[in-house]
């Protein structure tokens, strides 16, 4: 099923959320890794990954490593599916645009 423009989930409606999901496609990332990849502030990244958790796109795992807290994030199957549909929709739009040339 192909996503339509009017059906874009809220998870993909900000640049930072798209960047987070894009980073997680290649595997689990720590909070620090996501911060470095997205060039985000702690507060903004924290708010946006929490939103992605609420949408069911990302899971969070907290542990201690050498007595320091370590938070890691993983893309869920739903998050990957929705991201793939989103990318397919954008690809379809671009192919339609290119065929008009």
């Amino acid at each position: 099923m192909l996503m339509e423009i009017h059906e874009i989930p809220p998870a993909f409606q900000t640049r930072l959320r798209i960047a987070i999901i894009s980073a997680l496609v290649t595997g689990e990332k720590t909070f620090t890794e996501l911060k470095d990849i997205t060039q985000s502030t702690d507060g903004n990244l924290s708010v946006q990954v929490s939103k992605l958790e609420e949408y069911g796109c990302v899971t969070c795992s907290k542990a201690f490593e050498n007595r320091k807290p370590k938070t890691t994030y993983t893309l869920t199957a739903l998050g990957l599916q929705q991201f793939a549909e989103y990318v397919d929709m954008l690809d379809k739009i671009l192919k339609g645009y290119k065929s008009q040339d």
Side-chain angles (χ1 to χ4, degrees), residues 4 10 12 14 18 20 22 25 37 55 57 65 72 83 98:
E4 297 292 330
F12 306 107
T14 73
I18 292 171
I20 293 165
S22 297
V25 165
I37 291 166
Y55 299 138
C57 295
E65 190 172 280
T72 55
F83 187 64
K98 286 180 182 177

Side-chain angles (χ1 to χ4, degrees), residues 11 19 30 32 36 42 58-59 62-63 68 79 83 93 95-96:
T30 66
T32 303
D36 290 343
D42 287 0
V58 170
T59 59
K62 295 181 184 272
K68 293 181 182 177
F83 187 64
I93 291 168
K95 285 179 180 171

Side-chain angles (χ1 to χ4, degrees), residues 87-101:
V87 170
D88 286 345
M89 179 200 61
L90 294 176
D91 187 51
K92 179 183 169 191
I93 291 168
L94 285 173
K95 285 179 180 171
Y97 174 75
K98 286 180 182 177
S99 68
Q100 293 177 10
D101 290 342

Side-chain angles (χ1 to χ4, degrees), residues 6 9 25 40 46 54-55 58 65 69 73 80 82 84 86 96 98:
H6 65 278
V25 165
S40 179
S46 180
E54 288 175 27
Y55 299 138
V58 170
E65 190 172 280
Y73 297 92
L80 182 58
Q82 287 184 344
Y86 176 68
K98 286 180 182 177

